[in-house]
Amino acid sequence: MQEYKISTMKDYSKQSIDQIRILEHLCKTSDRSSLRVGIESLKEIDGDEAFLCQIDNQLVGFLSWYTSDGIEANINGMVHPDFRRQGVFHDLLKSAASDMQMQGIQTCRFRIPSNSESGMDYIRYLGASAAPSEFLMVFNRAQIAGSSHSGLAVRLEEDQDLEFMVKCSSQAFGDSESWTRNYLTRTREPARITYIAVDNMIPVGMIRVNYLDTNTAVIHDFCVLPSCQGRGYGREILSEVVKILRDQRDFQIRLGVVTQNRKALSLYQSIGFEVTAESNYYVISVDMIY
């Protein structure tokens, strides 16, 4: 194999991003997979960390990562079909792991398309442990719910809502309040909007929107207080936020749902979201990468 060079991504020009986009398309086409490496999150300020592998100025490998809690890194990556099984991705990962350790990252979470044989081959070689898989869903058609709660409203987050958000999220998802508070604090940024759902002025749920770019909005951290679940709030809250986004512009609206959560899957489908891909997740300690 020709000698290759691994470097930290510093050029975020259209030309540089286009090279990554071309490689992603090549890998998707060759593998017939639903690969998505998060190109929209590559930006000079507040973007994902990224590493490139090049041979004679040809991009043959790519890895990016980000963390929402300062503890776990979420990994995306790909290697040109002609340069696989030659250590390219593992060297990219080791380069990234060095930076992760300096930043206190303890674990890596890999997202592998369920239809990517090469991705699954590598994750087996790495020895990572399986985590719950997830469906990617994209909004396709309007099925806006009629309101059965006349006092229900969705408003923008206010400063005094933080403690409710910590309580609602930690109780709904089973995370500790300390982890949730850290996560919410770290992910407060201009491109991420939080809505609070209130019924007659009493908070009952929350939902967040991450504007990845001018065309893509990702719904996440959607939850209703456990004490308020089973009353139809979820469908109305999600329908209202979808309506807000559609009124703003013609966004592609995305969300993810754990494949085992059939209740949530049915809810999203009833509103107009369709499954477009399935991703498997795997976790490994950063210390085990070397």
Side-chain angles (χ1 to χ4, degrees):
M1 178 181 173
Q2 297 168 275
E3 184 175 350
Y4 57 80
K5 174 186 176 184
I6 291 176
S7 60
T8 303
M9 184 173 180
K10 296 178 180 178
D11 178 5
Y12 294 88
S13 65
K14 182 179 183 301
Q15 181 180 5
S16 180
I17 297 293
D18 282 347
Q19 286 184 328
I20 299 169
R21 185 171 284 109
I22 290 169
L23 180 59
E24 181 188 59
H25 179 73
L26 174 64
C27 292
K28 285 177 67 172
T29 303
S30 175
D31 299 344
R32 298 178 182 175
S33 76
S34 52
L35 176 71
R36 180 171 54 86
V37 297
I39 292 174
E40 63 273 12
S41 298
L42 298 173
K43 44 194 174 183
E44 193 163 4
I45 300 175
D46 296 328
D48 293 356
E49 306 279 349
F51 291 82
L52 310 175
C53 180
Q54 295 171 306
I55 295 177
D56 295 331
N57 294 320
Q58 177 190 1
L59 181 67
V60 300
F62 168 86
L63 181 148
S64 68
W65 69 273
Y66 69 92
T67 181
S68 297
D69 60 6
I71 299 170
E72 183 170 80
N74 298 277
I75 309 289
N76 289 307
M78 58 184 170
V79 174
H80 190 294
D82 294 343
F83 295 90
R84 292 174 182 168
R85 299 182 180 275
Q86 300 178 45
V88 170
F89 189 78
H90 200 65
D91 283 349
L92 282 166
L93 183 58
K94 287 191 292 184
S95 296
S98 296
D99 283 2
M100 292 174 197
Q101 287 183 315
M102 288 190 289
Q103 297 184 39
I105 301 297
Q106 299 173 17
T107 58
C108 292
R109 177 178 293 264
F110 297 83
R111 181 180 66 200
I112 312 293
S114 60
N115 50 8
S116 172
E117 291 186 18
S118 61
M120 295 303 299
D121 285 346
Y122 177 74
I123 216 68
R124 282 191 285 267
Y125 160 77
L126 194 61
S129 301
S133 56
E134 186 177 82
F135 289 128
L136 171 66
M137 304 188 76
V138 175
F139 183 77
N140 187 47
R141 64 193 184 285
Q143 299 287 341
I144 303 301
S147 177
S148 60
H149 302 85
S150 59
L152 184 69
V154 174
R155 62 165 174 78
L156 289 171
E157 163 202 6
E158 298 172 356
D159 289 341
Q160 62 268 27
D161 290 319
L162 178 59
E163 289 310 308
F164 166 75
M165 292 165 59
V166 170
K167 175 184 175 182
C168 185
S169 181
S170 63
Q171 290 186 6
F173 298 127
D175 300 311
S176 69
E177 288 198 358
S178 60
W179 182 91
T180 302
R181 183 175 285 104
N182 174 55
Y183 164 72
L184 291 172
T185 300
R186 289 179 63 96
T187 55
R188 275 188 166 180
E189 53 193 4
R192 202 182 303 260
I193 305 298
T194 302
Y195 292 97
I196 305 297
V198 296
D199 189 358
N200 290 311
M201 306 300 293
I202 299 175
V204 297
M206 61 177 279
I207 187 169
R208 307 179 81 197
V209 178
N210 187 9
Y211 294 91
L212 295 183
D213 53 36
T214 56
N215 300 310
T216 309
V218 178
I219 290 173
H220 64 108
D221 294 339
F222 173 33
C223 54
V224 175
L225 276 174
S227 60
C228 298
Q229 292 175 9
R231 305 181 192 177
Y233 284 122
R235 191 165 194 267
E236 291 185 46
I237 294 168
L238 183 56
S239 294
E240 182 59 29
V241 170
V242 167
K243 183 178 183 299
I244 290 170
L245 291 172
R246 294 177 73 229
D247 287 345
Q248 289 175 356
R249 64 178 297 134
D250 186 24
F251 284 111
Q252 181 192 72
I253 306 173
R254 302 196 316 229
L255 56 78
V257 58
V258 174
T259 55
Q260 297 168 325
N261 192 345
R262 295 294 167 172
K263 185 177 179 180
L265 177 63
S266 178
L267 167 64
Y268 302 150
Q269 288 174 325
S270 74
I271 289 172
F273 285 87
E274 295 184 347
V275 174
T276 59
E278 180 179 357
S279 295
N280 297 326
Y281 286 84
Y282 295 85
V283 178
I284 193 171
S285 168
V286 174
D287 294 337
M288 292 180 64
I289 290 173
Y290 297 96

